[in-house]
Amino acid sequence: MRINHLTLHNFRNYADLSLAFSHNINIFLGNNAQGKTNILEAIYIGAMGRSYRTYSDQELIRWKHSLGRIQLNFSRLDVQNDLAFRFSQGETKKSNKEITYNGYTIKVKELIGALNVVLFAPEDLTLIKGQPVARRQFIDVEISQASPSYYSQLLTYNRIVTQRNHLLKKIRDNRLNAAMLEPWDEQLIKAAAGITVKRKEAIKKLAMLANLMHRRITASKENLSVAYFMAGMAENEQVADKDLPVWYREQLLKLRQQDIYRGSTGIGPHRDDLVFTVNEGIQLKSFGSQGQQRTAVLALKLAELEFIKSETGEYPVLLLDDVMSELDAERREQLLFFIKDKIQTFVTATDQNYFPEKKMGHYYYVQNGKVME
């Protein structure tokens, strides 16, 4: 997968920008707050339909303007594709977004999987020791790009949980009878089981790839394990995939009064987590050093590239947003060695010395919304 050309109009701090890209490594150098990350953000929006930096599309439109655009031309399995995003600001100050894919207007859920990217940003280095929501988002984004149908499943599940939580609050306030939960529980059970099976399958494959990458980075000194943890499941409890609906039904009944009291659903994929261990079961979140945690995250990101390639037939585009300054020289070298000549990569950095070879990639210099090659 390759991005050939990007055009921006009134996007962030860019009035107008038109860039053609190398199919190898594209390096954007410059001081902070000049617009380097905005370019990566635009590419990420092309893949996911949303920013990774803000929840508000309105913030994407250049200051004091009412219309912003992103246009991308990319190759997928050697077929040319065009994507366009139009952000407009109405009287309500809320941005309206229109997505066009090869000339057809589509919704975000139809976009996922068209252009695949892997983002590695400084906040990802806290993936292991951070909150479970970040780890759930990591696996959901990865699977959704490889299997767009999963993204639809996830949207359906989230709607069910939202409706069930709304119902729980009404039951708690004595406005509805608890029997009203039955049909929603059945929908949740079916959706939860499907998502859990898909996540477990993906983690099994990802864990193998991550361990291979981790052994390469650490010169075979450590083994990395990644496991899927289901909320509400005992430490040594095992449930076969075919028995998940029965298990979820039992858990929902057991937690019903507690769910009503809290007004929220306490069991399901929205509560699950990933657990990372090294060697003989040492949990990285609680007992791993910062160096071990960062090495594990790097291995996980490299594994994510391989996972998407194995599922789709080609590598995704890699976005490295200001992450070079957060890695030591050895990890930077491992990362650059892995991606060079096989993965189209977009890198932002403030210092050219982070790159060991003068011809490591194609360099762009960014200053105040202007890009010079």
Side-chain angles (χ1 to χ4, degrees):
M1 189 164 290
R2 300 287 186 268
I3 295 175
N4 305 310
H5 195 272
L6 170 70
T7 301
L8 302 178
H9 174 70
N10 287 335
F11 177 83
R12 292 292 194 181
N13 69 329
Y14 290 100
D16 287 288
L17 178 69
S18 180
L19 287 176
F21 298 119
S22 163
H23 285 183
N24 196 0
I25 302 177
N26 299 272
I27 301 168
F28 296 89
L29 294 170
N31 294 328
N32 291 326
Q34 300 302 304
K36 303 186 302 297
T37 292
N38 297 341
I39 294 171
L40 271 62
E41 180 183 31
I43 295 172
Y44 186 89
I45 291 170
M48 303 307 300
R50 60 175 177 81
S51 171
Y52 62 93
R53 302 165 69 197
T54 178
Y55 290 105
S56 171
D57 289 339
Q58 182 179 329
E59 294 180 16
L60 304 176
I61 303 172
R62 190 164 172 245
W63 180 248
K64 292 186 178 180
H65 288 78
S66 59
L67 176 68
R69 289 199 303 268
I70 301 171
Q71 292 177 273
L72 280 164
N73 174 269
F74 68 96
S75 303
R76 180 185 176 91
L77 297 173
D78 297 323
V79 176
Q80 297 290 314
N81 295 273
D82 291 297
L83 268 173
F85 294 78
R86 184 179 184 273
F87 306 96
S88 58
Q89 184 173 287
E91 294 180 0
T92 61
K93 301 297 182 180
K94 182 179 180 181
S95 172
N96 298 309
K97 177 166 57 186
E98 181 181 284
I99 308 173
T100 306
Y101 181 36
N102 291 333
Y104 294 94
T105 300
I106 62 171
K107 298 178 180 179
V108 171
K109 65 180 182 180
E110 299 170 295
L111 171 70
I112 306 302
L115 169 63
N116 293 330
V117 303
V118 167
L119 170 69
F120 192 5
E123 52 266 29
D124 290 319
L125 291 167
T126 64
L127 185 65
I128 289 174
K129 65 181 180 181
Q131 296 301 310
V133 63
R135 292 184 285 277
R136 289 193 295 268
Q137 184 178 32
F138 162 77
I139 192 63
D140 285 339
V141 168
E142 179 184 326
I143 301 173
S144 294
Q145 293 192 89
S147 175
S149 62
Y150 174 83
Y151 183 72
S152 295
Q153 283 181 285
L154 195 63
L155 291 178
T156 298
Y157 174 78
N158 289 337
R159 282 196 295 269
I160 293 169
V161 172
T162 299
Q163 291 296 326
R164 188 177 188 270
N165 290 348
H166 184 64
L167 189 59
L168 288 167
K169 292 181 177 68
K170 287 189 174 182
I171 296 169
R172 181 186 61 191
D173 297 339
N174 295 317
R175 288 187 285 164
L176 286 175
N177 190 286
M180 296 290 290
L181 285 170
E182 294 294 340
W184 288 104
D185 284 0
E186 289 305 311
Q187 290 185 61
L188 187 143
I189 288 164
K190 181 180 178 181
I195 289 171
T196 301
V197 168
K198 194 68 176 179
R199 281 183 179 176
K200 287 170 67 179
E201 289 174 353
I203 290 300
K204 184 177 180 180
K205 191 169 188 177
L206 183 73
M208 178 190 68
L209 293 168
N211 187 45
L212 289 173
M213 297 299 169
H214 195 265
R215 287 176 64 83
R216 180 185 298 179
I217 295 170
T218 61
S220 301
K221 294 177 183 177
E222 292 182 335
N223 285 304
L224 173 67
S225 296
V226 186
Y228 189 71
F229 172 75
M230 291 176 60
M233 187 168 286
E235 185 175 348
N236 296 317
E237 187 178 1
Q238 297 287 332
V239 177
D241 290 347
K242 64 181 179 63
D243 296 326
L244 280 171
V246 173
W247 185 84
Y248 274 122
R249 187 171 289 108
E250 291 173 349
Q251 295 301 310
L252 286 172
L253 286 172
K254 184 171 74 173
L255 295 174
R256 176 169 288 188
Q257 290 305 313
Q258 187 175 329
D259 283 356
I260 291 171
Y261 176 77
R262 294 184 307 186
S264 63
T265 303
I267 202 77
H270 65 293
R271 299 283 187 177
D272 294 349
D273 201 356
L274 302 180
V275 178
F276 300 87
T277 57
V278 291
N279 293 340
E280 298 180 10
I282 300 173
Q283 280 208 23
L284 281 177
K285 182 177 182 179
S286 301
F287 304 106
S289 67
Q290 185 180 69
Q292 284 178 310
Q293 291 174 349
R294 291 191 167 203
T295 298
V297 171
L298 177 56
L300 198 64
K301 286 294 176 178
L302 297 180
E304 189 178 0
L305 294 167
E306 293 290 350
F307 175 86
I308 292 177
K309 180 179 184 292
S310 70
E311 296 290 311
T312 66
E314 60 183 343
Y315 282 111
V317 172
L318 176 61
L319 308 178
L320 301 176
D321 187 9
D322 199 29
V323 77
M324 305 306 283
S325 61
E326 301 291 333
L327 299 173
D328 59 30
E330 183 179 354
R331 293 185 182 91
R332 285 199 299 267
E333 185 177 346
Q334 289 281 353
L335 175 58
L336 293 170
F337 176 78
F338 180 84
I339 63 178
K340 189 181 179 184
D341 297 327
K342 66 178 180 180
I343 299 172
Q344 188 187 32
T345 303
F346 295 82
V347 191
T348 64
T350 56
D351 191 344
Q352 189 168 334
N353 291 324
Y354 294 143
F355 307 94
E357 302 175 27
K358 291 183 180 179
K359 299 296 182 182
M360 173 57 70
H362 195 83
Y363 288 87
Y364 304 84
Y365 295 90
V366 183
Q367 184 175 12
N368 195 27
K370 304 291 183 182
V371 181
M372 298 162 285
E373 295 188 40

